[in-house]
Amino acid sequence: MGRFLCLGIAKVAFRLHIEGEEFIPRTGPTILAANHVSFIDPIIIMVSVRRPVRFMAKKELFSFPLFGWLLRQFGTFPINRNRINLQAFKQAASILEAGEVVAIFPEGTRGDGIKLRPAKPGIGLIAARTGAPVIPVLHQGTGKVLPRGAWFPRPHRIVIKFGAPLRFGEGQIGKRQDQAELFSQTIMEKIAALKT
């Protein structure tokens, strides 16, 4: 009920348009790989997907007691962006092995909404370990709704697009570590391809 209410608000306030919902599996482990432009991106993903979604978030956000508590209530877990974080990777893998959905921002930080940053290798490593399909996701307009430094959202149209699933190992050769890094970059290319 809460999701439908927030979805209705998003469609009215931001003219939210969703494309490619059919690419999201109804059951089973799924990784959503999205570009990251604004703090509102996770909310847009949550209201656009019919299944519960878990998120990785930079550990610094959890240093604020109330905000950190709220993030954990939504199933968000921390990750250290400055080094390979085995604990976060294991937690993501555990969630996926339980058949749930994990959303990851492969760039590791917010971009400018124009050019995508290179992917961190983590998403490729998680996909390699779990075998979960990766759904590329593109936000457009969220940077206008809640730009850097803004405290309140502004009216602007938001479009979120989901692409066809990718699977680690399809057509890839070489060492597994190199494959994971290459797969991470392939994911970014598929996200970029969703731009209109």
Side-chain angles (χ1 to χ4, degrees):
M1 183 63 73
R3 174 189 172 268
F4 284 113
L5 178 61
C6 291
L7 179 61
I9 292 172
K11 287 192 172 184
V12 171
F14 308 119
R15 293 172 289 153
L16 176 63
H17 176 70
I18 305 169
E19 295 182 18
E21 289 179 274
E22 68 275 11
F23 291 124
I24 303 174
R26 293 180 180 271
T27 60
T30 304
I31 300 171
L32 301 178
N35 68 316
H36 195 17
V37 182
S38 168
F39 282 137
I40 202 172
D41 294 342
I43 297 172
I44 296 302
I45 290 176
M46 281 193 291
V47 302
S48 300
V49 177
R50 297 175 185 271
R51 299 173 60 186
V53 181
R54 305 281 298 274
F55 289 86
M56 282 185 177
K58 61 181 181 180
K59 67 174 186 177
E60 292 82 359
L61 294 176
F62 292 82
S63 62
F64 304 98
L66 181 59
F67 190 54
W69 176 84
L70 186 61
L71 287 173
R72 287 187 172 87
Q73 300 313 301
F74 283 100
T76 305
F77 55 98
I79 184 169
N80 186 336
R81 299 180 301 170
N82 299 319
R83 60 183 175 83
I84 294 178
N85 192 322
L86 293 179
Q87 182 179 357
F89 289 167
K90 287 179 180 178
Q91 188 165 359
S94 176
I95 293 167
L96 290 165
E97 287 163 1
E100 297 183 53
V101 180
V102 173
I104 300 173
F105 300 112
E107 297 165 284
T109 188
R110 287 175 293 161
D112 58 12
I114 300 172
K115 185 177 180 180
L116 295 176
R117 297 170 182 262
K120 304 287 186 182
I123 190 168
L125 294 170
I126 293 170
R129 173 171 173 171
T130 64
V134 179
I135 309 298
V137 184
L138 177 73
H139 300 95
Q140 292 178 303
T142 55
K144 299 287 187 182
V145 170
L146 195 66
R148 287 177 182 267
W151 288 93
F152 298 100
R154 306 168 184 178
H156 193 279
R157 186 170 189 257
I158 295 176
V159 175
I160 183 168
K161 297 180 181 180
F162 300 95
L166 309 170
R167 286 190 180 271
F168 177 82
E170 292 181 349
Q172 293 169 322
I173 58 174
K175 296 180 179 178
R176 195 170 181 83
Q177 177 74 27
D178 294 337
Q179 288 181 351
E181 293 181 7
L182 181 60
F183 185 64
S184 297
Q185 297 311 318
T186 299
I187 291 168
M188 296 309 300
E189 292 170 5
K190 295 299 183 180
I191 294 173
L194 293 173
K195 287 188 176 183
T196 54

